[in-house]
Amino acid sequence: MYRSRPTGNLDSKALSYLSSITEDSDLFYYDLLGSQAHVIMLHESNILSKKETIEILKAIGRLMSNSAALNEYAADSTAEDIHEMIESAVINITTMNVGGKIHTARSRNDQVVLDIRMKLRDDLNRISSNLLGLIHSLLSRAKENIETIMPMYTHLQQAQLGVLSHYLLSYCFSLLRNFERFSENYKRINVSPLGACAIGGSSMGIDRNKVASMLGFSDIVYNSVDATTSRDFLVEFSSNSLNTMLDLCRISEDFIIWSTSEFGFISLDDQFSSSSSAMPQKKNPDPLELIRGKTAMMEGNLVAISSIIKGLSSGYSRDLQEIKPLLWKTSSTLETSIEIMNGIVSTISVDQDKMYAASAKSYAISLDIAEQLITEGDISFRLSHKVIGTIVDYASRNGNVPLNSLTVSDITNSLKKIDFSHEILTPEKILNLIKLTTPENSIKFRKTKGSPNKNEQQIMIDHIEKIIFDYEKELELRSNKLQLGMDQLDKKINQLINESS
Ligand code: ARG
């Protein structure tokens, strides 16, 4: 339909090579929405008559309520994309004289990026709301586990003792930062490029702000070159998606390790476990492994998307079309991964006894004891580190006994190695301090801000609860504003159509 200068049809292989029809199906609804606003604005700018506008709106309405009609009416099978297909359907439903006016003061270059922005802002709003749902579930599991003592790991070796809520709250904080990133991103997505036309605007006296407001945008992308060229908002979306997936990956990895028979700290609900074709005993954490696996694809998509943009000159180039399927995949994968993770978090069962047993025999208590020695004996941290390190070495060489099972003579013998003698920190005193440092006291004594201490857990829970509340309000406000624009559009369409009947 667009072939005014080139004669004849495109070579059929070239056409299918060029075509973006498949990935454009996700844009169908948005393209119609954008077209409705565009023709109403053309009418209000005295470019289309009322009669023409109504005819076009009716044709669009027909396509909107029955997407199958598109194929029927877009008899022109040479359409390269959804924009061409919809325009040809509108022309076929109306006439060339009427439908042929729909593309006045518009180009596919501003149209495609308008559609992408509209789809992405809806995706982003769903993703943000799902993110809050997941954070909410993590928070309620955290509340149940403020006193669930467990070892904490660095290098995947037992490091210090902590509580399960502490890990779960750390996931909340990290995911909340991604929510913030998406909110920032939303501001840059929710601006309208329409009216920039091919690259340099139009002489037709259109009102760019009017279309923007009917479509719920907060503003327009002012510069027409910028409006048709820039894709930074979607690189940002892809990077935010990857960041979020990396969080889900870390949670997955923690859960996978904690659910092994060797750890046995948690167990996945059967709904979220796979089995083995061969080994009847198996209960595998496949959904968690797939979150990890799919993150690789999202990483690849970010690189691919930015590589498509890299090296392009200003103005639309067809390379940009290749971004769409990658973007859709990124967005839908993120959305479902968050949902799956929410299901897993909500149903996981926690074996508090196993966690406690691992903590009770763990040398992860060592730093706490070393700090007791500093306070009681007024010695340097380095010396205290040496003393406790030597005692731990002795205990582990003598059958891996827990520190609180050592005797005074064990302490005396081990300290001979470093010639440690101190008037307050006698072997008896050191053993007392070791016995005083129970797992419960280890947590109680650690009072630094943000530590596993019970009060600190409560402070973090209250803080997160408040942020969730604020973010929920922010989301509601955002969707209300969008709805306001859409209502304005609906009202105008209904008014025009009702007047005609
Ligand atoms: N199908 C194209 C895309 O998805 C639409 C824009 C085409 N514009 C052009 N001037 N060839 O990017």
Side-chain angles (χ1 to χ4, degrees):
M1 186 183 70
Y2 293 155
R3 298 176 70 74
S4 296
R5 179 175 175 179
T7 51
N9 284 339
L10 261 170
D11 168 78
S12 62
K13 276 218 172 80
L15 175 62
S16 67
Y17 193 73
L18 279 180
S19 171
S20 61
I21 293 284
T22 317
E23 55 264 30
D24 282 350
S25 61
D26 285 305
L27 293 181
F28 175 70
Y29 166 71
Y30 297 104
D31 204 71
L32 293 174
L33 217 54
S35 297
Q36 287 175 324
H38 181 66
V39 293
I40 288 176
M41 180 278 293
L42 289 178
H43 168 56
E44 293 182 359
S45 309
N46 299 317
I47 297 169
L48 288 189
S49 73
K50 191 186 250 178
K51 193 167 166 292
E52 290 164 338
T53 311
I54 292 168
E55 259 190 75
I56 296 177
L57 286 177
K58 282 186 174 167
I60 295 177
R62 203 137 134 194
L63 297 175
M64 213 166 218
S65 58
N66 174 17
S67 58
L70 183 64
N71 295 322
E72 187 185 322
Y73 287 107
D76 183 356
S77 60
T78 62
E80 288 176 28
D81 53 32
I82 199 79
H83 321 296
E84 187 175 4
M85 211 158 166
I86 288 176
E87 185 180 343
S88 95
V90 170
I91 290 173
N92 282 340
I93 297 172
T94 60
T95 58
M96 178 60 98
N97 275 343
V98 175
K101 292 186 177 176
I102 190 177
H103 210 54
T104 314
R106 187 173 75 167
S107 154
R108 282 184 297 168
N109 298 351
D110 55 349
Q111 194 180 354
V112 66
V113 70
L114 172 87
D115 295 357
I116 293 174
R117 284 174 183 273
M118 285 199 287
K119 170 175 161 43
L120 218 51
R121 69 182 179 182
D122 280 352
D123 288 3
L124 188 150
N125 281 340
R126 281 196 315 277
I127 287 168
S128 297
S129 141
N130 286 352
L131 253 182
L132 288 187
L134 169 59
I135 296 168
H136 210 274
S137 302
L138 285 164
L139 189 70
S140 43
R141 299 312 304 261
K143 286 181 188 166
E144 299 162 14
N145 287 288
I146 296 185
E147 291 181 277
T148 306
I149 297 178
M150 66 179 283
M152 301 168 91
Y153 298 82
T154 65
H155 311 266
L156 211 49
Q157 303 286 330
Q158 293 184 351
Q160 287 183 276
L161 294 190
V163 285
L164 178 60
S165 58
H166 202 46
Y167 273 107
L168 301 174
L169 295 175
S170 81
Y171 305 150
C172 292
F173 281 114
S174 194
L175 290 168
L176 283 169
R177 283 195 295 279
N178 283 315
F179 181 96
E180 277 170 34
R181 287 189 186 98
F182 276 120
S183 291
E184 270 300 307
N185 194 185
Y186 185 80
K187 291 185 208 154
R188 287 179 276 276
I189 292 175
N190 193 29
V191 275
S192 167
L194 206 64
C197 301
I199 181 167
S202 160
S203 60
M204 296 294 299
I206 53 172
D207 185 340
R208 295 191 60 197
N209 293 85
K210 188 176 269 177
V211 198
S213 128
M214 275 187 272
L215 293 171
F217 285 102
S218 67
D219 205 346
I220 59 170
V221 187
Y222 204 85
N223 182 306
S224 63
V225 181
D226 186 29
T228 48
T229 304
S230 300
R231 296 293 189 274
D232 54 308
F233 66 92
L234 54 79
V235 174
E236 194 180 355
F237 179 85
S238 177
S239 152
N240 293 343
S241 302
L242 175 60
N243 246 321
T244 311
M245 279 304 272
L246 290 172
D247 277 349
L248 300 187
C249 246
R250 178 163 54 93
I251 303 174
S252 298
E253 187 59 18
D254 284 347
F255 285 2
I256 289 170
I257 293 167
W258 295 344
S259 66
T260 56
S261 318
E262 286 71 13
F263 276 72
F265 289 176
I266 57 171
S267 107
L268 296 195
D269 192 85
D270 284 355
Q271 296 174 73
F272 295 100
S273 309
S274 291
S275 196
S276 155
S277 62
M279 298 162 282
Q281 86 285 6
K282 284 288 241 165
K283 184 176 161 185
N284 290 329
D286 291 26
L288 293 171
E289 291 171 339
L290 275 172
I291 287 178
R292 248 178 7 198
K294 286 174 194 284
T295 304
M297 174 272 291
M298 312 256 297
E299 233 169 75
N301 283 358
L302 175 61
V303 174
I305 290 172
S306 49
S307 307
I308 289 169
I309 295 164
K310 177 196 161 294
L312 293 186
S313 57
S314 290
Y316 178 84
S317 298
R318 195 64 179 258
D319 314 43
L320 293 172
Q321 177 172 293
E322 292 295 302
I323 292 178
K324 286 185 293 186
L326 303 171
L327 197 60
W328 304 167
K329 187 85 181 146
T330 286
S331 166
S332 62
T333 305
L334 177 62
E335 193 176 335
T336 42
S337 302
I338 295 173
E339 279 167 2
I340 296 287
M341 185 54 92
N342 194 347
I344 292 175
V345 168
S346 315
T347 54
I348 218 157
S349 55
V350 175
D351 192 333
Q352 300 185 336
D353 294 341
K354 271 232 168 110
M355 288 183 168
Y356 188 83
S359 308
K361 60 173 196 237
S362 169
Y363 294 141
I365 206 88
S366 302
L367 179 53
D368 296 307
I369 304 172
E371 288 186 344
Q372 289 294 318
L373 259 59
I374 297 172
T375 317
E376 293 292 321
D378 196 22
I379 60 171
S380 73
F381 172 70
R382 191 49 58 219
L383 182 55
S384 176
H385 186 276
K386 180 123 289 155
V387 169
I388 299 302
T390 307
I391 296 173
V392 170
D393 183 52
Y394 178 92
S396 73
R397 284 176 199 278
N398 287 278
N400 254 336
V401 288
L403 295 182
N404 63 5
S405 308
L406 292 173
T407 61
V408 175
S409 68
D410 288 331
I411 308 278
T412 312
N413 285 341
S414 62
L415 292 183
K416 273 189 196 139
K417 202 170 149 194
I418 53 167
D419 274 340
F420 178 79
S421 77
H422 190 278
E423 58 173 323
I424 301 171
L425 298 175
T426 59
E428 289 79 8
K429 178 71 181 172
I430 293 176
L431 189 60
N432 278 344
L433 292 175
I434 289 175
K435 291 194 187 284
L436 174 76
T437 317
T438 58
E440 288 80 359
N441 280 341
S442 152
I443 307 294
K444 202 160 120 196
F445 293 162
R446 247 173 301 137
K447 298 197 195 75
T448 43
K449 281 188 177 169
S451 66
N453 185 285
K454 193 172 170 187
N455 286 339
E456 286 302 314
Q457 297 301 295
Q458 198 52 54
I459 289 172
M460 289 188 265
I461 287 171
D462 294 345
H463 182 63
I464 292 169
E465 225 151 35
K466 189 186 164 311
I467 306 181
I468 294 181
F469 181 75
D470 291 347
Y471 286 175
E472 270 166 356
K473 274 207 305 220
E474 181 185 320
L475 266 188
E476 197 181 305
L477 208 72
R478 213 193 273 169
S479 66
N480 286 348
K481 276 191 189 158
L482 255 186
Q483 198 51 49
L484 218 66
M486 299 298 170
D487 289 348
Q488 197 190 335
L489 177 63
D490 266 352
K491 206 169 131 202
K492 288 188 183 203
I493 296 172
N494 289 335
Q495 234 164 30
L496 279 164
I497 297 207
N498 289 342
E499 274 175 34
S500 75
S501 52

